[in-house]
Amino acid sequence: PAFQTTSRLRVRGSELSKLLFQYAFLRLFTAVEVYLQDTLAYAMTDPARFGSFSENLREDDIPTRWPDGTKIRTVDYARRWGEVVAMTLRFPYHEFEGRVSHRYRACFGFDLAKFPKLDRLIYFRNVRHRLVHQGSIRLGVPLVDISRAHVVEFVRLSLELAAFVENGKPSTVPARTEP
């Protein structure tokens, strides 16, 4: 064949644990973002929460363009508000202290920015950014070192964040049940 894809990557045992910790960290970070997005999206199925969200959404968070770049016309906000909300719920993933917090305030009445360990969440966001966009090693120099202790700390932080969110939601928001 003209194009052959079989090649072997050799990784030393000591490097394998580093790769696995990085992988676990990135998967957990994604899980946190999905949890935050799904919690908000699920709340929108309740008409009262949808109304609260619509009434309290900051103008800066309301989209003005469709994904194809065309302008959202005034009439679209009335006729296609569900689609506008869906675009609004396209999560601003890493902006916990900003746009994510604003959406939570609009829907639930509390700020994620008041999470007591927000500084650690931001620290891990920045680690994730470096890892994803710069890699872990450049010219043999480690750029990001994810250890077992980092992963364990982030697991604990994730559980504390989930408890903060669940305790902050009004009791009128139905508990989510898995099928």
Side-chain angles (χ1 to χ4, degrees):
F3 183 77
Q4 189 174 11
T5 60
T6 57
S7 62
R8 291 185 182 249
L9 176 67
R10 294 180 189 249
V11 178
R12 293 189 316 232
S14 62
E15 297 299 313
L16 181 60
S17 64
K18 289 180 182 180
L19 289 173
L20 291 174
F21 288 138
Q22 289 173 4
Y23 178 76
F25 172 80
L26 291 173
R27 293 291 296 212
L28 181 58
F29 198 92
T30 299
V32 166
E33 292 177 325
V34 167
Y35 164 74
L36 291 172
Q37 180 181 21
D38 285 356
T39 298
L40 190 58
Y42 181 72
M44 293 297 120
T45 63
D46 174 37
R49 284 295 112 215
F50 182 80
S52 175
F53 180 80
S54 298
E55 290 172 16
N56 297 315
L57 191 62
R58 294 177 340 146
E59 282 191 40
D60 293 355
D61 291 326
I62 298 172
T64 58
R65 300 222 168 258
W66 294 111
D68 67 2
T70 59
K71 186 178 183 331
I72 298 175
R73 299 174 310 142
T74 305
V75 70
D76 292 333
Y77 291 106
R79 288 189 183 155
R80 299 173 66 183
W81 181 238
E83 292 175 67
V84 172
V85 169
M87 284 179 44
T88 303
L89 291 176
R90 284 193 192 135
F91 222 54
Y93 286 104
H94 315 309
E95 299 178 40
F96 304 115
E97 70 278 25
R99 295 189 319 159
V100 176
S101 187
H102 300 305
R103 283 164 172 77
Y104 266 73
R105 185 175 348 130
C107 184
F108 301 121
F110 76 92
D111 289 322
L112 277 182
K114 293 189 178 177
F115 175 55
K117 294 187 178 177
L118 182 66
D119 59 333
R120 289 306 288 168
L121 189 60
I122 291 169
Y123 167 78
F124 283 120
R125 174 193 62 202
N126 295 337
V127 168
R128 179 231 169 254
H129 181 82
R130 283 194 313 274
L131 182 60
V132 169
H133 297 289
Q134 297 173 356
S136 60
I137 296 175
R138 182 171 296 141
L139 301 174
V141 177
L143 297 174
V144 178
D145 186 27
I146 306 287
S147 67
R148 179 183 186 282
H150 288 111
V151 173
V152 169
E153 179 187 356
F154 193 52
V155 167
R156 287 187 181 123
L157 182 68
S158 302
L159 293 172
E160 290 176 34
L161 177 65
F164 179 80
V165 168
E166 295 302 318
N167 290 329
K169 292 188 313 190
S171 59
T172 58
V173 177
R176 184 171 181 177
T177 56
E178 295 300 319

